[in-house]
Amino acid sequence: MVDALSCGMGILVHVLLTAVAVWVSTALPGIDLGEGTTGSRILTLLGVAVIFGLVNAVVKPLVKFFGCLFYLLTLGLIGLVVNALLFMLTGWLAEQLDLPFRVDGFWPAFWGAIIVALTGWVLNVIYDKITDKD
């Protein structure tokens, strides 16, 4: 029971940290969260964070598996392009689900994916430091 609760809390924390990282990326031109109340914008960010997590959990491993030769040939730099395309896919899926989140093209997605990755990494490091029980 404790493990299930701990796992659920871990997922919730990860979604919240991803939502904050996506929110930071909306400072870029070409990534839009839409208009609305603060509450609706928070719910949109949470929805986009869940979509982003699912895309990264399901699609990214498949792309890495089938594109492993490209990863080797480009010394991993194709990963930047893949992350941008996955961020664009997240924006498209959000629009299909009527969430007011939009990514306008490859370059906003490219820089947005980098910002989400860096922000998420920093937030996870901070969270790990705060929750370290050692």
Side-chain angles (χ1 to χ4, degrees), residues 14-78:
H14 189 71
V15 167
L16 290 172
L17 295 178
T18 303
V20 171
V22 170
W23 174 70
V24 170
S25 77
T26 62
L28 292 172
I31 300 175
D32 187 35
L33 190 54
E35 300 297 321
T37 64
T38 301
S40 68
R41 291 169 66 107
I42 290 171
L43 289 176
T44 298
L45 285 169
L46 291 173
V48 171
V50 169
I51 293 168
F52 190 66
L54 290 173
V55 165
N56 277 312
V58 175
V59 178
K60 191 171 189 173
L62 293 172
V63 171
K64 280 188 167 183
F65 176 76
F66 290 112
C68 63
L69 180 61
F70 292 112
Y71 278 89
L72 289 173
L73 290 174
T74 64
L75 302 175
L77 291 177
I78 192 73

Side-chain angles (χ1 to χ4, degrees), residues 89-106:
L89 176 61
T90 299
W92 181 80
L93 288 172
E95 284 185 48
Q96 301 307 305
L97 295 171
D98 290 328
L99 292 173
F101 179 76
R102 208 172 74 239
V103 179
D104 294 330
F106 177 79

